Amino acid sequence: MTGTLYGVGVGPGDPELLTLKAARLLAAVPVVAYPAPLEGCGMARTIAAAHIPAGRTEIAIRMGFTADRAGTEAAYDRGAAAIAIHLEQGRDVALLCEGDPLLFGSFIYVLARLGERFPVVVVPGVTSPLAAAAALQFPLAAWNDRVAVIPASRSEAEIEALLAAVDAAAIMKVGRHLPKLRRILGRLGLDGHYIERVGLPDQRILSLEAAEAGGAPYFSIILVHRRGKAWL
Amino acid sequence: MTGTLYGVGVGPGDPELLTLKAARLLAAVPVVAYPAPLEGCGMARTIAAAHIPAGRTEIAIRMGFTADRAGTEAAYDRGAAAIAIHLEQGRDVALLCEGDPLLFGSFIYVLARLGERFPVVVVPGVTSPLAAAAALQFPLAAWNDRVAVIPASRSEAEIEALLAAVDAAAIMKVGRHLPKLRRILGRLGLDGHYIERVGLPDQRILSLEAAEAGGAPYFSIILVHRRGKAWL
């Protein structure tokens, strides 16, 4: 009997946005894994901290913030190997992911390595675009609206074309791309609603102007709707 | 002192996918509201049932499944008026929504009516596209993928153009639109991964062929990724 690999979404930042299922699993599994920086325990582990009993085996999948794709792949190779040892010996492992495991989640890379060999259960989580919508009280979509989730690192032409093809969008990881995004929104006549570090103690809602003046951090999101914010 | 209006996402169907925050609020608020059909208590109330203490005041916002826009607006007018009476008298009200309150959620229509008059708090929830991804073990997006959420009721040309402009998509409320969607996916060379009634006891994963032969229900989702399912 091998163990089961659980991909567990822990939500966007607020520890209360864990699901009941995530909390139940974390109380039960003997091994907890999570992505982490080179030192410290990382955001997913921090969000879930209150639900990880003392004395659990923990596997930190460490990678530098500036790791390139090869470095990232090597880190997941090492992490998957460490997880596999426990699964082979019949111990369940929960891999924690900020937000949801299958929407930009670290779990995807471990699933690709271990999904054929072990039973897998995925526990979905609350994602940061919807936490941003909640904090901004911004209705993202109704009726038959089309919605896009767009990484801000895409090219100016790609983002502009996609925004023109949908009714609403969440633009993720704004950071240093904010000047480019402001140009696009200006050309399309769209109002962008900005929030940074959603759900964390230092969350801030700013105008695009103020965000650009202050230097937007990597964890920042812009929400837009073709009909503006109060569009009903 | 007026009461606070809470928009509470109860997740896509599995009662364990409520957040800790939703469960805590439902134990505390004196009034619970929810969308409901003409008879019975509706899906959001059913999902959250275990967390609603006996004896709470309940407001069912009733509308027929086939209500047109005017009928829907009238139902929300009545629901908002009933909720406002409690808020004016200082009682907090939680409005339950399947999935997330601000992504195709009933809460949007009540927010539009009461948001200027009362304090509002939104509790985001797990959405059905991500519950579908979890059940199908389908990695929806990684790296800098662009993702779309597309109502199946959009026109054939609109859906085809948007699928061609993104890396991945969740097509919602497939139902009777399945033949149209199969034509689009065929032309674009995309594999569609189908699930119906995700998270409910009668959830089913089927091939597109089998789903069309059996008659897809309204609550059905197709996930696609430009690079296929196992694309890492």
Side-chain angles (χ1 to χ4, degrees):
Chain A
M1 278 287 280
T2 60
T4 294
L5 173 63
Y6 291 93
V8 179
V10 299
D14 178 349
E16 269 208 297
L17 292 179
L18 252 77
T19 63
L20 301 170
K21 190 166 194 172
R24 175 176 61 79
L25 282 170
L26 292 183
V29 294
V31 183
V32 177
Y34 41 85
L38 297 178
E39 291 185 34
C41 62
M43 197 181 295
R45 172 71 175 79
T46 301
I47 293 169
H51 301 279
I52 302 173
R56 289 288 191 261
T57 299
E58 300 196 16
I59 298 170
I61 303 176
R62 296 197 182 279
M63 64 192 79
F65 187 72
T66 59
D68 60 7
R69 179 131 182 187
T72 305
E73 299 283 3
Y76 285 117
D77 284 343
R78 289 190 299 272
I83 289 169
I85 290 170
H86 292 283
L87 295 173
E88 281 164 357
Q89 297 178 358
R91 287 188 288 279
D92 295 343
V93 179
L95 175 61
L96 311 180
C97 295
E98 300 163 41
D100 181 87
L102 295 172
L103 188 76
F104 305 111
S106 308
F107 178 69
I108 292 172
Y109 310 100
V110 176
L111 179 66
R113 287 162 172 79
L114 302 180
E116 308 271 292
R117 291 171 56 197
F118 301 102
V120 169
V121 172
V122 184
V123 181
V126 175
T127 61
S128 58
L130 292 171
L136 289 163
Q137 297 185 16
F138 187 97
L140 197 54
W143 305 103
N144 65 348
D145 286 339
R146 297 155 295 185
V147 185
V149 177
I150 312 173
S153 62
R154 303 297 303 215
S155 76
E156 190 154 346
E158 286 172 328
I159 295 172
E160 185 160 356
L162 185 46
L163 284 177
V166 294
D167 301 285
I171 306 172
M172 313 284 294
K173 299 176 181 172
V174 168
R176 65 188 172 81
H177 301 286
L178 183 50
K180 172 180 75 183
L181 299 172
R182 290 186 69 196
R183 286 195 299 272
I184 298 168
L185 296 175
R187 283 197 297 272
L188 295 174
L190 293 170
D191 283 331
H193 295 263
Y194 172 94
I195 187 167
E196 61 187 40
R197 302 186 60 76
V198 60
L200 300 174
D202 52 350
Q203 167 185 306
R204 291 201 304 173
I205 293 169
L206 297 172
S207 70
L208 295 186
E209 292 74 2
E212 186 171 336
Y218 182 73
F219 285 112
S220 48
I221 291 175
I222 291 174
L223 301 182
V224 296
H225 198 291
R226 200 166 49 80
R227 298 189 292 275
K229 181 176 178 185
W231 46 262
L232 278 169
Chain B
M1 277 285 280
T2 61
T4 294
L5 172 63
Y6 291 93
V8 178
V10 299
D14 176 350
E16 268 207 297
L17 292 179
L18 252 78
T19 62
L20 301 170
K21 190 166 193 170
R24 174 176 62 79
L25 282 170
L26 293 183
V29 294
V31 184
V32 177
Y34 42 84
L38 296 178
E39 291 186 32
C41 63
M43 196 180 295
R45 172 71 173 78
T46 302
I47 293 169
H51 301 279
I52 301 172
R56 288 290 188 261
T57 299
E58 300 196 18
I59 299 170
I61 304 176
R62 297 196 181 277
M63 64 192 81
F65 187 71
T66 58
D68 60 5
R69 178 130 184 188
T72 304
E73 300 282 4
Y76 284 118
D77 284 343
R78 291 191 297 274
I83 289 169
I85 290 170
H86 292 282
L87 294 172
E88 281 164 356
Q89 297 177 359
R91 287 188 290 280
D92 295 342
V93 179
L95 175 61
L96 311 180
C97 295
E98 300 163 42
D100 181 89
L102 296 172
L103 187 74
F104 305 112
S106 308
F107 178 69
I108 292 171
Y109 310 102
V110 176
L111 179 66
R113 287 161 171 79
L114 302 180
E116 309 271 291
R117 290 172 55 198
F118 301 102
V120 170
V121 172
V122 185
V123 181
V126 175
T127 61
S128 59
L130 292 171
L136 290 162
Q137 298 185 16
F138 187 97
L140 196 55
W143 305 104
N144 65 347
D145 286 340
R146 297 155 296 187
V147 184
V149 177
I150 313 174
S153 62
R154 302 299 300 217
S155 76
E156 191 154 345
E158 287 172 327
I159 294 173
E160 185 161 353
L162 185 46
L163 284 178
V166 294
D167 301 285
I171 307 172
M172 313 285 295
K173 299 176 182 172
V174 168
R176 65 188 173 81
H177 302 287
L178 183 49
K180 172 180 77 181
L181 298 173
R182 290 186 68 197
R183 287 195 299 273
I184 298 168
L185 296 176
R187 284 198 296 271
L188 295 174
L190 293 170
D191 283 331
H193 296 262
Y194 173 94
I195 187 167
E196 61 188 41
R197 301 185 61 75
V198 62
L200 300 174
D202 52 351
Q203 169 185 306
R204 292 202 303 174
I205 294 170
L206 297 171
S207 70
L208 295 185
E209 292 77 0
E212 186 171 336
Y218 181 74
F219 285 113
S220 48
I221 292 175
I222 291 175
L223 301 182
V224 297
H225 198 289
R226 202 165 48 81
R227 298 188 293 275
K229 182 178 176 185
W231 45 262
L232 279 170

